[in-house]
Amino acid sequence: MIIVLRRDATEEQVGHLVATIRGWGLTTHVSRGTERTIIGVIGDERAIRSKPLEAIPGVESVMAVLKPYKLASLEFQPERTRIRIPAVKPGGAPVEIGGPSVVVVAGPCSVENRDMLFDMARVIRGAGAKLLRAGAFKPRTSPYAFQGLGVEGLRYLAEVRAEVGIPIITEVMDTRDVEMIAEVADILQIGARNMQNFNLLKAVGRCRKPVLLKRALAGTIEELLMSAEYILSEGNREVIVCERGIRTFEKATRNTLDISAVPVIRRESHLPVFVDPSHGTGVWPLVAPMALAAVAAGADGIMVEVHPNPEQALSDGPQALLPKTFEKMMKDLQAVAQAVGRTL
Amino acid sequence: MIIVLRRDATEEQVGHLVATIRGWGLTTHVSRGTERTIIGVIGDERAIRSKPLEAIPGVESVMAVLKPYKLASLEFQPERTRIRIPAVKPGGAPVEIGGPSVVVVAGPCSVENRDMLFDMARVIRGAGAKLLRAGAFKPRTSPYAFQGLGVEGLRYLAEVRAEVGIPIITEVMDTRDVEMIAEVADILQIGARNMQNFNLLKAVGRCRKPVLLKRALAGTIEELLMSAEYILSEGNREVIVCERGIRTFEKATRNTLDISAVPVIRRESHLPVFVDPSHGTGVWPLVAPMALAAVAAGADGIMVEVHPNPEQALSDGPQALLPKTFEKMMKDLQAVAQAVGRTL
Amino acid sequence: MIIVLRRDATEEQVGHLVATIRGWGLTTHVSRGTERTIIGVIGDERAIRSKPLEAIPGVESVMAVLKPYKLASLEFQPERTRIRIPAVKPGGAPVEIGGPSVVVVAGPCSVENRDMLFDMARVIRGAGAKLLRAGAFKPRTSPYAFQGLGVEGLRYLAEVRAEVGIPIITEVMDTRDVEMIAEVADILQIGARNMQNFNLLKAVGRCRKPVLLKRALAGTIEELLMSAEYILSEGNREVIVCERGIRTFEKATRNTLDISAVPVIRRESHLPVFVDPSHGTGVWPLVAPMALAAVAAGADGIMVEVHPNPEQALSDGPQALLPKTFEKMMKDLQAVAQAVGRTL
Amino acid sequence: MIIVLRRDATEEQVGHLVATIRGWGLTTHVSRGTERTIIGVIGDERAIRSKPLEAIPGVESVMAVLKPYKLASLEFQPERTRIRIPAVKPGGAPVEIGGPSVVVVAGPCSVENRDMLFDMARVIRGAGAKLLRAGAFKPRTSPYAFQGLGVEGLRYLAEVRAEVGIPIITEVMDTRDVEMIAEVADILQIGARNMQNFNLLKAVGRCRKPVLLKRALAGTIEELLMSAEYILSEGNREVIVCERGIRTFEKATRNTLDISAVPVIRRESHLPVFVDPSHGTGVWPLVAPMALAAVAAGADGIMVEVHPNPEQALSDGPQALLPKTFEKMMKDLQAVAQAVGRTL
């Protein structure tokens, strides 16, 4: 950590600052320049990162030298994390996430009813998707909108999983539901609005199921990795991070899908990175081009919404792909994956 | 609701759309212009607001005519909500929020220890603050940072409340803690990161304590009022909304305090509006000027952090005011409150 | 245009509004719903788009039905614009922009000296780039930074163009320089900071050279197309629009490259769309992945910075590719272009 | 300047870096910590601020210690700049900007015709405004909107100035017009869209008239002061900076007025700070509350739009105040100015 002093900082202030930092168990290195005196902190700065150094008299600014996350960093773990989702049925193939193959997760936004869920599971699996997504508990901006089927939806998910033999990813919104959902789901999803619901992060961190963590609408990449760090630090090392669009001034799309998050995260962290172009754009004709872009940029997986009849969807219809559009996209994805040296 | 059709929409598509809307129990009004056909939906559009109209073939865009919130709107309730916090001790004065008097809430960011809490309660009360703020459960970006004293902190809050006789506002982060915290606190705080933690909103909505709801870093004013609507629709009519800074590209401040949210909300809603210039700026010398600005713009209350020794604060030290700076601010606030026809 | 009236709008106000609109030469259609009265404006709303309808008593909100641009729209011109840059030397091949082939523009940020410019022209051409980019006039945030070689740089550009036989694109920043630069350049570039320098747009609109128009840091896609409309409406139909990153809260990249702008613009406009991943990310290791993403999403061209020795570059060194990295990227681009049915 | 090396930086890279910096005429100070080696640059870092240090092998990140502006900084000039606008008519009072008195600038958005301009000049002056604002050259998003009366408008401005005896502020958009406009205007305005039109900044920097420089929609405070530095470094020391709203995700207002820019700039710079709540909100009922907030936060001046008949305004009608609303606002402003120890 580097502490820049004010031009008018007194010797007494320098002494007080040095003493304070020593009191926290670190050593200092004072450098007097022509314009400013600068204090370098020697030792693991993470120990004092949350200390209010800016509040100490004479301090002008404080600059961190190290990233605030540790377990999530490529510096800590140079080999990439690979997550293995066991086969649901005996004899089935497991799914590997974070390896050479790009993994596609697809399904309806919500579990709406049993039949549709079974239909969609078969459609997306037939087209090459490896996991089924569908929400039983739904975060909705309006209290008057469909809130998900809840426990009934979870039951349908368990049934489709067992019968069709496809692993399931579904969202958990409440610390009280973690255990119940972890009994059904192969991967637990933390939604964008809960990226900094720290109690929920701790709860899934203590769970033995992989977690897909979505970036918040105003979440920086550093904060996304810090939220992953919450899960990792509780002992759960199977975390996937997912870019799903950030909020900007642009109104042509529901969110601005930050594709550059993919190479940025891959340079900083060993965790697999997914992209969700459905929420990332909010408009179905943009989903396929942005899925292709994500894979071209190096994404480890894609998560998209598919619905047999978007105009009757109970949530997020405008961004859902029709089965036939999804099938076309899968073919194009395969070509792009190959072009960048991966498989689908 | 207004539905604009694509230029190339067919008669069949128009017919299908009209039939679909009727199927949802509303009537339509078709207007054929020179450039576009437009369908107006007659009836309470809130019933179909979450229907995926954009997914219906032939539709170009959909425009809402009404605001999505109802109970929170000034149209629904023209008189302003006033919340009465009863006196803590017999013979004490109750606090009214939303009336002519501007209410100041102050205190340390976190409950750090018993003594400091008692000191601060007396200091801020002596300077004219009406409620004490302090967090027992703290949302922190890093899992390695101080996470609050938890239940122990809550006990200190109960003690200071009883002995000093000042009402308490403290944050609730987990649905499992609502009941426990509601037994101690006079007002429950929902933090910015939980503005769209819908299960938590429902839980405090079923509670009989007033709620202060903070705006999320990427929360629009409309979404803030929709989150208030969640609480209101569960039966709790005592909601205060609080502007505390939004996330923008500007780096000189921790957040960009959107003072214009105050007059915007007052034109849309009957709920009291507070402003938190401590989190809104993140830099203590900006707190007083922004508190004055908030009151000048019509805020019903101000919430600020005060600490006896910011450089040793366990959280958010750089934005905490020293007691003497707080006392000076209170005097200036009084002058500005008077200038806009209010009291402190 | 749709005008939503306030719930308490009087009959007199309705009458006044209808009369006002008729006074502007359009007709109206009044629809009285259960919650609001709505007035539809019949006729070409572009005629009254800049009228201050919101300022008329009784009006709650105004919604546009049509896009504000006309000449730039796909509705106006359904066939895609193709721009032909003639061969510089007799016997050379012309370059087509907006056709099936993806066009790569490359070169140093600034013209720094004659030799380096010639070297880079040969390097990028050898690797398959079709046009050379390099700035003679440079917009710099600081008055103390290198401002470009100016007229001298322009002379070098003319020389490299003639000798190497590669067409040139260079930036124009001042209305006074348009003619001079148009004598040398094959394409005039309008930089992001000048996207709404309307006098400059008009000046290049009266010029007979194609224009590459970059999106502003806070420019919406609609505003970008409106700025293109300025150029088109002056008679110059050869406009390329270029996504180069928008400003958001994210700090890991210099800007947030909005790849979704590519499919959005292609659905709205017939103009060719380029992407500049160098300015869009500001960090050279992100340039290649984002260039691949842009082509996967449908971009008609890519513009990147290449420098023989980035650490000595006079501007934007951190985002420049070394020649060998550029050559590797070109190979990968070719594979991705093929995967999406295009050539390079 | 502080240079943080990568963990795997070699001794050779350290040596190369040190040699490179010495080659630029500065000295270095190498500090080897437990996690990273850090190089401090001794000397005036402004000399190497635009060097591409991040492009040098082994460098992880570069942190500036000093602000990039010098002439604009309070460190360079501790006393606040006061600008004196001489009386227009003999015997009239000069206007001082940057002193204890808050200065109000008002008038119509555009010069629409001679009579209205004269009326408004008298109205705003009668209510206490010190300068008249009105645009002759108008930057408009659409080429089809009213573009201002141009030279004819300038003539009316000269007439109203001479006859009513009120100083004039008007916008200059083109380097070719600077001289002509400087002959009429008492203050030249640089609009938000031209904040980084560097040639225009240089041109007004060589002019002997005060300049009001507006913040760009995506302009950081640091960039605003850097643009002021352009003007100052050309020799013109009379610069006012003006906050007028930044672009964010919030849609309830046209822009988000960043009131905190006022105290931030006053802590960094000696230049007077104005606030424009008309453009900052875009909605007239928000103008007065935000003007009061700006003065409470320490603004040196306020700039607002007033129109006798907003519904017929040729530009920006929805944000214009009626004369009587303006007069009421002036009374409230006076009370708030007094409350913060200033006059109007």
Side-chain angles (χ1 to χ4, degrees):
Chain A
M1 195 162 284
I2 306 282
I3 303 165
V4 179
L5 298 191
R6 293 165 54 91
R7 205 191 196 183
D8 57 7
T10 62
E11 275 309 302
E12 205 187 332
Q13 289 175 333
V14 175
H16 171 64
L17 188 54
V18 166
T20 302
I21 292 165
R22 283 191 187 149
W24 290 327
L26 290 133
T27 55
T28 57
H29 182 286
V30 179
S31 158
R32 290 168 206 274
T34 51
E35 305 263 347
R36 291 286 189 283
T37 292
I38 287 164
I39 299 180
V41 178
I42 315 288
D44 185 354
E45 71 181 41
R46 287 188 189 96
I48 61 162
R49 185 177 286 271
S50 56
K51 298 288 183 191
L53 292 160
E54 294 92 339
I56 300 182
V59 173
E60 183 168 291
S61 62
V62 178
M63 301 161 175
V65 168
L66 301 179
K67 300 285 180 186
Y69 40 83
K70 185 175 177 182
L71 306 176
S73 73
L74 208 50
E75 191 169 314
F76 174 79
Q77 180 189 313
E79 67 278 7
R80 300 212 162 268
T81 289
R82 293 188 180 201
I83 299 169
R84 196 174 167 280
I85 311 294
V88 168
K89 283 184 169 177
V95 179
E96 190 193 52
I97 291 169
S101 199
V102 174
V103 172
V104 175
V105 180
C109 181
S110 307
V111 181
E112 297 184 2
N113 60 63
R114 198 179 177 286
D115 286 357
M116 188 270 263
L117 191 68
F118 271 72
D119 280 359
M120 284 302 97
R122 289 182 179 116
V123 161
I124 62 127
R125 185 189 223 192
K130 293 290 191 293
L131 288 108
L132 176 68
R133 58 141 296 149
F137 298 90
K138 298 296 305 170
R140 303 302 300 277
T141 305
S142 168
Y144 310 124
F146 174 63
Q147 306 273 315
L149 291 186
V151 178
E152 184 189 352
L154 217 52
R155 202 171 58 235
Y156 297 153
L157 282 170
E159 288 176 25
V160 80
R161 181 178 182 278
E163 291 187 32
V164 182
I166 188 166
I168 296 291
I169 172 167
T170 199
E171 179 163 354
V172 54
M173 289 170 61
D174 195 318
T175 48
R176 296 172 299 190
D177 299 337
V178 171
E179 251 180 87
M180 176 177 69
I181 295 176
E183 273 173 40
V184 172
D186 296 277
I187 301 181
L188 296 172
Q189 177 179 320
I190 302 288
R193 291 177 182 81
N194 282 315
M195 188 192 90
Q196 293 192 319
N197 182 336
F198 301 113
N199 288 27
L200 189 58
L201 297 177
K202 288 176 189 170
V204 300
R206 286 188 291 264
C207 184
R208 291 306 96 179
K209 283 286 169 72
V211 177
L212 180 135
L213 173 66
K214 288 193 155 186
R215 182 178 183 186
L217 270 76
T220 62
I221 292 171
E222 190 172 292
E223 286 170 345
L224 172 61
L225 291 175
M226 281 307 280
S227 288
E229 187 88 4
Y230 258 96
I231 303 171
L232 298 167
S233 68
E234 292 287 337
N236 188 343
R237 297 301 170 99
E238 301 195 314
V239 179
I240 303 155
V241 292
C242 181
E243 163 63 30
R244 47 79 73 210
I246 57 173
R247 192 161 265 180
T248 70
F249 61 82
E250 177 56 60
K251 289 168 286 188
T253 45
R254 185 175 171 183
N255 297 292
T256 296
L257 190 62
D258 179 11
I259 295 279
S260 66
V262 174
V264 169
I265 292 171
R266 287 179 65 86
R267 293 182 71 217
E268 289 291 334
S269 177
H270 50 83
L271 299 173
V273 191
F274 274 39
V275 171
D276 171 352
S278 302
H279 288 89
T281 63
V283 193
W284 74 261
L286 305 179
V287 171
M290 294 310 284
L292 300 179
V295 170
D300 295 297
I302 295 293
M303 181 150 146
V304 294
E305 294 187 0
V306 182
H307 195 283
N309 189 8
E311 69 182 74
Q312 295 289 349
L314 296 182
S315 55
D316 283 347
Q319 71 195 34
L321 297 181
L322 280 167
K324 65 175 182 217
T325 319
F326 175 69
E327 286 156 5
K328 166 78 169 70
M329 183 192 83
M330 289 298 282
K331 280 194 194 105
D332 294 341
L333 272 182
Q334 195 151 25
V336 171
Q338 266 178 340
V340 295
R342 301 183 81 161
T343 56
L344 200 65
Chain B
M1 196 163 285
I2 306 281
I3 303 164
V4 180
L5 298 191
R6 292 165 55 90
R7 206 189 192 183
D8 57 7
T10 63
E11 275 309 303
E12 205 186 333
Q13 289 175 333
V14 176
H16 171 64
L17 188 55
V18 166
T20 302
I21 292 165
R22 282 192 187 148
W24 290 326
L26 290 132
T27 55
T28 58
H29 182 284
V30 179
S31 157
R32 291 167 204 275
T34 50
E35 304 265 346
R36 290 286 188 284
T37 291
I38 286 163
I39 298 181
V41 177
I42 315 286
D44 185 355
E45 71 181 41
R46 287 189 189 96
I48 62 163
R49 184 177 285 269
S50 56
K51 298 288 184 192
L53 292 160
E54 294 91 340
I56 301 181
V59 173
E60 183 168 290
S61 61
V62 178
M63 299 162 178
V65 168
L66 301 181
K67 301 286 179 184
Y69 41 82
K70 186 174 175 182
L71 305 177
S73 74
L74 208 50
E75 191 169 315
F76 174 77
Q77 179 190 314
E79 67 279 7
R80 302 212 159 266
T81 289
R82 293 189 180 200
I83 299 170
R84 196 174 166 281
I85 311 294
V88 167
K89 284 185 169 176
V95 178
E96 190 193 51
I97 291 169
S101 199
V102 174
V103 172
V104 175
V105 180
C109 182
S110 307
V111 181
E112 298 184 3
N113 60 63
R114 196 179 179 285
D115 286 357
M116 188 269 265
L117 191 68
F118 271 73
D119 279 359
M120 283 303 97
R122 288 183 179 117
V123 160
I124 61 127
R125 186 189 224 193
K130 293 290 193 292
L131 289 109
L132 176 69
R133 61 142 293 150
F137 298 90
K138 297 298 305 171
R140 302 304 298 277
T141 305
S142 167
Y144 310 125
F146 173 63
Q147 307 272 315
L149 291 185
V151 177
E152 185 191 350
L154 217 52
R155 203 171 59 235
Y156 297 153
L157 283 170
E159 287 176 25
V160 80
R161 180 179 183 276
E163 291 187 32
V164 182
I166 189 166
I168 296 290
I169 172 166
T170 198
E171 179 163 355
V172 55
M173 289 171 62
D174 195 316
T175 49
R176 297 173 299 191
D177 299 337
V178 171
E179 249 179 88
M180 176 178 67
I181 295 176
E183 273 174 39
V184 172
D186 296 277
I187 302 181
L188 296 172
Q189 179 180 319
I190 302 289
R193 291 177 181 81
N194 282 315
M195 187 191 91
Q196 293 192 319
N197 181 335
F198 301 115
N199 288 27
L200 189 58
L201 297 177
K202 287 177 189 169
V204 300
R206 285 188 291 265
C207 185
R208 290 308 96 181
K209 282 286 169 73
V211 177
L212 180 136
L213 173 67
K214 286 192 157 187
R215 183 179 181 185
L217 270 76
T220 62
I221 292 171
E222 191 171 292
E223 287 171 346
L224 172 60
L225 292 175
M226 281 308 280
S227 288
E229 188 88 5
Y230 258 95
I231 303 171
L232 297 168
S233 68
E234 292 288 338
N236 188 343
R237 298 302 170 98
E238 300 195 314
V239 179
I240 303 155
V241 292
C242 181
E243 162 64 29
R244 48 78 73 210
I246 56 174
R247 194 161 265 182
T248 70
F249 61 82
E250 177 56 59
K251 289 168 285 189
T253 44
R254 185 175 172 183
N255 298 291
T256 296
L257 189 63
D258 180 10
I259 295 277
S260 66
V262 175
V264 168
I265 292 171
R266 287 180 64 87
R267 292 181 71 214
E268 288 292 335
S269 176
H270 50 84
L271 298 173
V273 191
F274 275 38
V275 171
D276 172 352
S278 301
H279 288 88
T281 63
V283 194
W284 74 261
L286 304 179
V287 171
M290 295 309 284
L292 299 180
V295 170
D300 295 298
I302 296 293
M303 182 149 144
V304 293
E305 294 186 1
V306 182
H307 196 283
N309 188 11
E311 71 183 73
Q312 294 291 348
L314 296 181
S315 57
D316 283 348
Q319 71 195 33
L321 296 180
L322 280 166
K324 66 177 181 213
T325 320
F326 175 68
E327 286 157 5
K328 165 78 170 69
M329 184 192 83
M330 289 297 282
K331 281 194 192 106
D332 294 342
L333 273 182
Q334 195 153 24
V336 171
Q338 265 177 341
V340 296
R342 301 183 83 160
T343 55
L344 198 65
Chain C
M1 196 160 287
I2 306 282
I3 302 165
V4 179
L5 298 191
R6 293 166 54 91
R7 204 191 195 181
D8 58 8
T10 63
E11 276 310 303
E12 205 187 331
Q13 289 174 333
V14 176
H16 171 64
L17 188 54
V18 167
T20 302
I21 293 165
R22 282 192 187 147
W24 289 328
L26 291 132
T27 56
T28 57
H29 181 286
V30 179
S31 157
R32 290 167 206 274
T34 51
E35 305 265 345
R36 290 286 188 284
T37 292
I38 286 163
I39 298 180
V41 177
I42 315 287
D44 185 356
E45 70 181 42
R46 287 189 190 95
I48 61 162
R49 185 176 286 270
S50 56
K51 298 290 184 190
L53 291 160
E54 295 91 340
I56 301 182
V59 173
E60 184 169 290
S61 60
V62 178
M63 300 161 176
V65 168
L66 301 180
K67 300 286 180 185
Y69 41 82
K70 186 174 177 181
L71 306 177
S73 74
L74 209 50
E75 193 169 313
F76 175 78
Q77 180 190 314
E79 68 279 6
R80 300 209 163 271
T81 289
R82 293 189 181 201
I83 299 168
R84 197 173 167 282
I85 311 293
V88 167
K89 284 185 170 178
V95 178
E96 189 193 51
I97 291 169
S101 199
V102 175
V103 172
V104 176
V105 180
C109 181
S110 306
V111 180
E112 298 184 3
N113 59 64
R114 198 179 178 283
D115 286 357
M116 188 269 264
L117 192 67
F118 271 73
D119 280 359
M120 284 302 97
R122 289 180 180 118
V123 161
I124 62 126
R125 185 190 224 194
K130 293 290 192 293
L131 288 108
L132 176 69
R133 59 141 294 149
F137 298 89
K138 298 298 303 172
R140 302 304 300 277
T141 305
S142 167
Y144 310 124
F146 174 62
Q147 307 274 317
L149 291 187
V151 177
E152 184 189 351
L154 217 51
R155 202 171 59 234
Y156 298 153
L157 283 169
E159 288 176 25
V160 80
R161 181 179 183 277
E163 292 187 32
V164 182
I166 189 166
I168 296 289
I169 171 167
T170 199
E171 179 163 354
V172 55
M173 289 170 62
D174 195 318
T175 48
R176 296 172 298 191
D177 299 337
V178 171
E179 251 180 88
M180 176 177 68
I181 295 176
E183 273 172 40
V184 172
D186 296 277
I187 302 182
L188 296 172
Q189 177 180 321
I190 301 288
R193 292 179 181 81
N194 282 316
M195 187 191 92
Q196 293 193 320
N197 181 335
F198 301 114
N199 287 28
L200 188 58
L201 297 177
K202 287 177 190 169
V204 300
R206 285 188 292 265
C207 185
R208 291 307 97 181
K209 282 288 169 72
V211 177
L212 181 136
L213 173 66
K214 287 193 155 187
R215 183 179 181 185
L217 270 76
T220 62
I221 293 171
E222 191 172 292
E223 287 170 346
L224 172 60
L225 292 176
M226 282 307 282
S227 288
E229 187 88 5
Y230 258 96
I231 303 171
L232 297 167
S233 68
E234 292 288 338
N236 187 343
R237 298 302 171 99
E238 301 194 314
V239 179
I240 303 156
V241 291
C242 181
E243 163 62 30
R244 47 81 71 211
I246 57 173
R247 192 161 265 182
T248 70
F249 60 83
E250 177 56 58
K251 288 168 286 189
T253 43
R254 185 175 173 183
N255 297 292
T256 296
L257 189 62
D258 180 11
I259 295 278
S260 66
V262 174
V264 168
I265 292 171
R266 287 180 64 87
R267 293 181 72 216
E268 290 291 334
S269 177
H270 50 84
L271 298 173
V273 191
F274 274 39
V275 171
D276 171 352
S278 302
H279 288 88
T281 64
V283 193
W284 73 263
L286 305 178
V287 171
M290 295 309 285
L292 300 179
V295 170
D300 295 298
I302 296 293
M303 180 150 148
V304 293
E305 294 187 0
V306 183
H307 195 284
N309 188 8
E311 69 182 75
Q312 295 290 350
L314 296 182
S315 56
D316 282 347
Q319 71 195 33
L321 297 180
L322 281 166
K324 65 176 181 212
T325 319
F326 176 68
E327 285 156 7
K328 165 80 170 70
M329 184 193 83
M330 290 297 283
K331 281 193 193 106
D332 294 342
L333 272 182
Q334 194 152 25
V336 172
Q338 265 177 341
V340 295
R342 301 183 81 159
T343 55
L344 199 64
Chain D
M1 197 163 286
I2 306 282
I3 302 166
V4 180
L5 298 191
R6 293 166 54 91
R7 207 190 192 182
D8 58 8
T10 62
E11 275 309 305
E12 205 187 330
Q13 288 174 334
V14 175
H16 171 65
L17 189 54
V18 166
T20 303
I21 292 165
R22 282 193 188 147
W24 290 327
L26 290 132
T27 55
T28 58
H29 182 284
V30 179
S31 157
R32 289 167 206 275
T34 51
E35 305 263 347
R36 291 284 189 286
T37 292
I38 286 164
I39 298 179
V41 178
I42 316 286
D44 185 356
E45 70 181 41
R46 287 189 190 94
I48 62 161
R49 184 177 287 270
S50 55
K51 298 289 182 189
L53 292 160
E54 295 92 340
I56 300 182
V59 173
E60 184 169 290
S61 61
V62 178
M63 300 162 178
V65 167
L66 301 180
K67 301 286 180 183
Y69 40 83
K70 187 174 175 182
L71 306 177
S73 73
L74 207 50
E75 193 169 313
F76 175 78
Q77 179 189 315
E79 66 279 7
R80 301 210 160 270
T81 289
R82 294 191 180 199
I83 299 169
R84 196 172 167 281
I85 311 294
V88 168
K89 283 185 171 177
V95 179
E96 189 193 51
I97 292 169
S101 199
V102 174
V103 172
V104 176
V105 180
C109 182
S110 308
V111 180
E112 298 184 2
N113 60 64
R114 197 178 179 285
D115 286 357
M116 189 268 264
L117 191 67
F118 272 72
D119 279 358
M120 283 303 97
R122 288 181 180 120
V123 160
I124 60 126
R125 184 191 225 191
K130 293 289 192 294
L131 288 108
L132 176 68
R133 60 142 293 150
F137 298 89
K138 297 299 303 172
R140 303 305 298 276
T141 305
S142 167
Y144 310 124
F146 173 63
Q147 307 272 317
L149 292 186
V151 178
E152 184 190 352
L154 217 52
R155 202 171 57 234
Y156 297 154
L157 282 170
E159 287 176 25
V160 79
R161 181 179 182 277
E163 291 188 32
V164 182
I166 189 166
I168 296 290
I169 172 166
T170 198
E171 180 164 353
V172 55
M173 290 170 63
D174 195 317
T175 48
R176 298 173 296 192
D177 300 338
V178 172
E179 249 180 90
M180 174 177 69
I181 295 177
E183 272 173 41
V184 171
D186 296 276
I187 302 181
L188 296 172
Q189 179 179 320
I190 301 288
R193 292 178 181 82
N194 282 316
M195 187 192 89
Q196 293 192 319
N197 181 336
F198 301 115
N199 287 27
L200 188 58
L201 296 178
K202 287 177 189 168
V204 299
R206 286 189 290 266
C207 185
R208 292 306 97 182
K209 281 288 170 73
V211 176
L212 181 137
L213 173 66
K214 287 192 156 188
R215 184 178 181 184
L217 269 77
T220 62
I221 292 171
E222 190 171 292
E223 287 170 345
L224 172 60
L225 292 176
M226 281 308 281
S227 288
E229 188 87 3
Y230 258 96
I231 303 171
L232 297 168
S233 68
E234 293 288 338
N236 187 343
R237 298 300 170 98
E238 300 195 313
V239 178
I240 303 156
V241 291
C242 181
E243 161 64 31
R244 49 78 75 211
I246 56 174
R247 192 162 266 183
T248 70
F249 60 83
E250 177 57 58
K251 290 169 284 189
T253 44
R254 185 175 173 185
N255 297 293
T256 296
L257 190 62
D258 179 10
I259 295 279
S260 66
V262 175
V264 168
I265 293 171
R266 287 180 63 87
R267 292 181 71 215
E268 288 292 335
S269 176
H270 51 84
L271 298 173
V273 191
F274 275 38
V275 170
D276 171 352
S278 302
H279 288 87
T281 63
V283 193
W284 73 262
L286 304 179
V287 171
M290 295 309 284
L292 299 180
V295 170
D300 295 297
I302 296 292
M303 181 150 146
V304 294
E305 294 186 1
V306 183
H307 195 284
N309 188 10
E311 69 183 75
Q312 295 290 349
L314 297 182
S315 57
D316 284 347
Q319 70 195 34
L321 297 180
L322 280 166
K324 66 177 179 213
T325 319
F326 176 68
E327 285 157 6
K328 166 79 170 67
M329 185 193 81
M330 289 298 282
K331 280 193 192 106
D332 294 342
L333 272 182
Q334 194 152 26
V336 172
Q338 266 177 340
V340 295
R342 299 183 83 159
T343 55
L344 199 65

